[in-house]
Amino acid sequence: MARQGAGALLASGTLGFPPQNLARVVVWEWLNEHGRWRPYSAAVCHHIENVLKEDARGSVVLGQVDVQLAPYIIDLQSMHQFRQDTGTMRPVRRNFYDPSSAPGKGIVWEWENDNSSWTPYDMDICITIQNAYEKQHPWLDLSSLGFCYLIYFSSMSQMNRQTQRKRRLRRRMDLAYPLTMGSIPKSQSWPVGASTGQPCSCQQCLLVNSTRAASNAILASQRRKLYPGGAGTLPVRQSSTFAGGTLWPAGTGTAAGGVAKGETPRAPVGAFGRSQSAPSGAQLPGLNNLNRPGTQRGAGVSARAAVPPGVPALPVKNLNGTGPVHPALADSAACPRAGMTGILMCAAGLPVCLTRAPKPILHPPPVSKSDIKPVPGVSGICRKTKKKHLKKSKNPEDVVRRYIQKVKTPPDEDCTICMERLVTSSGYEGVLSHRGIKPELVGKLGKCGHMYHLLCLVAMYNNGNKDGSLQCPTCKAIYGEKTGTQPPGKMEFHLIPHSLPGYTDSKTIRIVYDIPTGIQGPEHPNPGKKFTARGFPRHCYLPDNEKGRKVLKLLIVAWDRRLIFTIGTSNTTGESDTVVWNEIHHKTEFGSNLTGHGYPDPNYLDNVLAELLAQGVSEATLKD
């Protein structure tokens, strides 16, 4: 279906504005870690617009309108959202949509997540769903937007076309997003260099300058509250060195309410260079009661010189790793506890002691070849998969007829594939034409008893892996042997003489998956196109006990059936046409559980057995 109502894309770092005398709905959006722009609620957008009218270079405290957003501040000059308790920085943008679209009417479409709470769709998807809903389409295919989902309006559900998993969705009315007309001035640009009038284009300087502008904007906003009318303007001096390297180029940068002169680079003193702080007669807001007693030491600095007493240890991070965080501060990016205060103190020239958080222990200590042993009760140490061998005599009609029983008098209820009534013809009438299958024929699946149009089952089979198996879209019961679309690769497994946390009495089973890059086959999303394979070989770990060995045996079956990996879009990086996990979770962290993919996790073995069962891999498989 054609995509409608998409707003114009506006670069982060500037305030967008609509064409002159043209009404537009304003939606403020933030960039998440997957590279997708997520909308703020209508109430938050109204609040941001109100602050924008008063001061286009100020800051917006989101907690004033939504208590759940209490830690967040938006700096309008740098167009970034700051989280005060962690220091996380994310780009934001001001986007525009047609007043007749969903945000202009206050319509929100949401899907139910795994926690049984509701998550709004991205705004462009919300608009597309609403357009289809208004045109009374029975269903909507989101593949044109890059998502393998089908939306069914009759049952108000969303179905994953690959896994056949369904989720509920809902349409609710909310406050309409703010309306604007005409143009709004752009925000102040980043500080420019003193020599050429243009900032250096290297990545490091871009990060440094953007952080400087963001930090100065927040400090300037606070100073204006302390000294209304511009009286008593407090100049801010930037910290000159970090571990011997200059932070800011010599030059001038304009800050609201005054001019901050560039600082001449000086030789470092100890781990940090000396920097001039605020005059003793004035205090910066938000910096009280932050000193900690005792002498701290700077982490990551080779000099190991003592930091002066009272310097707080404030690690700061940037979640997506690409935003404007000072390189010295970004060195502590792994820390889960960080502070916006660290950024402000650094910008004001106050010394900050950076600390490192514990790093996850991904791999065991080195193991010699002589210590690597086969896993007891498991034959072999390696499995390889090659290109898919197409099975003959598996035409769709034969497969469907094998697993269904014809229903002469179907009930007056929906077919959950086409969303038409079972007493009427299939919604695929005229779309699909198969010999011997009439659009009004209805069948019942043998094991679970759910009923569908036969033509709908044929369409579902054609849209899948065409491996001779069927999976009920309602209860997920599998008929036949389900196989996946995993690319060719190698799976190795062996025993190492180390223990996992929580399993001190057992050795460890190590699994090593290795899949090279290649070309997508006919069963993949984009046949003939190259796919990438990031992070291989991937090391995974199981305890060497009875249940751990059972999980290994079932994982080997799943590997042979090409169910462990698939080709799709990475949830971590947002990259498409790449090898990703296929809903069977693995533990990739050996000696800790900082990422959630390690041990101890007492429920993991039971959970992965349930995930394997959902793919049709059960203990009965091992007996065959």
Side-chain angles (χ1 to χ4, degrees):
M1 182 164 295
R3 176 181 173 184
Q4 302 182 21
L9 298 184
L10 303 170
S12 62
T14 58
L15 292 174
F17 55 93
Q20 291 281 0
N21 302 322
L22 183 61
R24 282 288 182 266
V25 172
V26 180
V27 178
W28 285 81
E29 299 167 320
W30 54 277
L31 188 66
N32 69 9
E33 60 269 29
H34 305 310
R36 300 202 58 82
W37 290 98
R38 304 288 296 135
Y40 292 100
S41 68
V44 171
C45 289
H46 278 280
H47 178 58
I48 299 174
E49 287 292 301
N50 291 335
V51 175
L52 176 66
K53 294 175 183 177
E54 298 178 2
D55 185 1
R57 298 179 302 177
S59 56
V60 185
V61 181
L62 301 185
Q64 292 178 351
V65 67
D66 188 341
V67 294
Q68 293 182 337
L69 301 180
Y72 297 98
I73 295 176
I74 292 179
D75 173 49
L76 295 176
Q77 180 171 347
S78 67
M79 290 295 279
H80 276 80
Q81 167 193 281
F82 299 91
R83 177 163 179 162
Q84 299 176 85
D85 56 345
T86 65
T88 302
M89 307 171 70
R90 299 183 185 272
V92 299
R93 71 178 182 183
R94 187 172 183 255
N95 212 354
F96 300 97
Y97 298 91
D98 190 276
S100 63
S101 63
K105 299 176 180 178
I107 297 172
V108 181
W109 285 88
E110 300 172 319
W111 56 275
E112 188 178 29
N113 59 33
D114 292 336
N115 298 323
S116 298
S117 57
W118 294 92
T119 302
Y121 286 95
D122 296 352
M123 190 54 69
D124 54 347
I125 298 177
C126 175
I127 290 173
T128 303
I129 295 175
Q130 178 61 22
N131 287 343
Y133 180 83
E134 292 176 351
K135 294 177 181 177
Q136 297 184 346
H137 289 290
W139 54 276
L140 172 66
D141 189 346
L142 296 180
S143 59
S144 61
L145 299 180
F147 296 92
C148 58
Y149 296 107
L150 292 172
I151 301 295
Y152 296 112
F153 293 110
S154 299
S155 61
M156 292 296 283
S157 62
Q158 165 194 286
M159 185 181 76
N160 187 314
R161 298 179 61 176
Q162 292 183 346
T163 65
Q164 305 296 312
R165 180 180 182 182
K166 281 192 174 184
R167 295 179 184 273
R168 291 194 299 164
L169 75 151
R170 71 178 183 182
R171 175 182 181 267
R172 66 176 179 87
M173 299 300 298
D174 198 356
L175 180 68
Y177 279 82
L179 196 68
T180 187
M181 290 188 65
S183 62
I184 295 178
K186 293 183 179 181
S187 66
Q188 180 179 342
S189 59
W190 301 124
V192 296
S195 57
T196 63
Q198 297 293 329
C200 174
S201 60
C202 76
Q203 185 67 20
Q204 182 175 359
C205 289
L206 287 176
L207 292 176
V208 169
N209 285 337
S210 59
T211 306
R212 180 187 185 189
S215 303
N216 284 351
I218 295 177
L219 287 173
S221 175
Q222 298 295 334
R223 289 198 301 274
R224 287 197 298 272
K225 294 177 183 178
L226 277 182
Y227 307 105
T233 300
L234 188 62
V236 177
R237 299 292 294 272
Q238 308 294 346
S239 175
S240 63
T241 55
F242 243 93
T246 60
L247 294 184
W248 319 116
T252 60
T254 303
V259 176
K261 295 183 179 180
E263 205 173 23
T264 305
R266 294 187 292 267
V269 178
F272 298 90
R274 293 183 183 274
S275 57
Q276 198 169 357
S277 58
S280 57
Q283 276 188 325
L284 290 176
L287 300 181
N288 299 326
N289 302 322
L290 291 174
N291 290 339
R292 297 179 182 177
T295 301
Q296 313 258 2
R297 294 189 180 273
V301 179
S302 59
R304 296 287 180 182
V307 179
V311 176
L314 296 170
V316 181
K317 74 171 182 177
N318 177 25
L319 193 61
N320 60 17
T322 57
V325 171
H326 188 283
L329 298 181
D331 192 42
S332 299
C335 185
R337 294 181 178 271
M340 190 62 211
T341 308
I343 296 177
L344 300 182
M345 293 179 68
C346 179
L350 301 176
V352 177
C353 173
L354 301 179
T355 62
R356 287 185 181 275
K359 292 185 177 180
I361 304 172
L362 300 178
H363 302 290
V367 180
S368 64
K369 289 185 178 180
S370 60
D371 290 333
I372 296 177
K373 306 294 183 182
V375 180
V378 179
S379 61
I381 58 172
C382 182
R383 277 291 209 284
K384 293 183 180 180
T385 56
K386 299 181 180 179
K387 292 185 178 180
K388 178 182 178 182
H389 297 287
L390 295 176
K391 300 179 180 179
K392 299 180 180 180
S393 302
K394 293 288 177 82
N395 63 68
E397 295 90 342
D398 292 341
V399 173
V400 170
R401 292 181 188 278
R402 181 184 308 159
Y403 301 121
I404 61 97
Q405 303 167 1
K406 287 185 179 180
V407 177
K408 294 182 178 180
T409 307
D412 187 15
E413 59 186 40
D414 284 342
C415 168
T416 57
I417 298 178
C418 70
M419 305 313 300
E420 299 289 346
R421 308 298 286 182
L422 289 172
V423 294
T424 63
S425 296
S426 166
Y428 285 93
E429 182 181 15
V431 180
L432 288 178
S433 178
H434 282 268
R435 186 187 311 172
I437 295 186
K438 297 179 180 180
E440 64 271 13
L441 290 179
V442 175
K444 179 174 68 173
L445 289 171
K447 289 190 293 186
C448 62
H450 290 112
M451 289 180 279
Y452 307 94
H453 292 112
L454 267 64
L455 195 59
C456 292
L457 290 172
V458 170
M460 184 183 74
Y461 181 82
N462 283 335
N463 193 49
N465 201 27
K466 302 183 183 70
D467 58 0
S469 69
L470 275 181
Q471 184 167 14
C472 176
T474 301
C475 66
K476 311 307 178 190
I478 296 174
Y479 296 80
E481 183 179 298
K482 179 182 177 181
T483 61
T485 60
Q486 178 179 287
K490 182 172 65 173
M491 173 190 186
E492 296 180 346
F493 39 90
H494 48 251
L495 209 60
I496 58 175
H498 297 290
S499 299
L500 294 166
Y503 296 95
T504 55
D505 296 333
S506 304
K507 295 182 180 179
T508 298
I509 300 169
R510 179 166 60 185
I511 306 171
V512 182
Y513 295 112
D514 196 6
I515 295 178
T517 59
I519 304 298
Q520 297 183 50
E523 72 273 24
H524 294 137
N526 297 295
K529 186 177 179 181
K530 182 179 179 180
F531 68 84
T532 59
R534 310 291 186 190
F536 287 94
R538 299 187 185 182
H539 292 230
C540 310
Y541 304 95
L542 293 168
D544 179 35
N545 56 25
E546 183 179 355
K547 189 175 287 188
R549 288 190 289 270
K550 180 195 300 182
V551 169
L552 174 62
K553 293 176 182 178
L554 295 176
L555 287 176
I556 293 172
V557 174
W559 172 267
D560 292 338
R561 295 182 182 180
R562 306 173 70 209
L563 295 169
I564 302 292
F565 296 96
T566 187
I567 293 178
T569 300
S570 170
N571 288 331
T572 305
T573 65
E575 181 183 11
S576 58
D577 297 306
T578 190
V579 179
V580 295
W581 295 105
N582 187 34
E583 299 187 355
I584 301 176
H585 286 81
H586 286 65
K587 292 296 187 181
T588 56
E589 193 176 342
F590 173 79
S592 56
N593 197 18
L594 298 179
T595 64
H597 302 299
Y599 294 93
D601 185 348
N603 299 321
Y604 168 67
L605 295 178
D606 291 327
N607 292 340
V608 74
L609 286 172
E611 291 172 343
L612 286 161
L613 181 61
Q615 298 287 346
V617 182
S618 64
E619 293 185 55
T621 308
L622 302 178
K623 299 176 183 178
D624 295 342

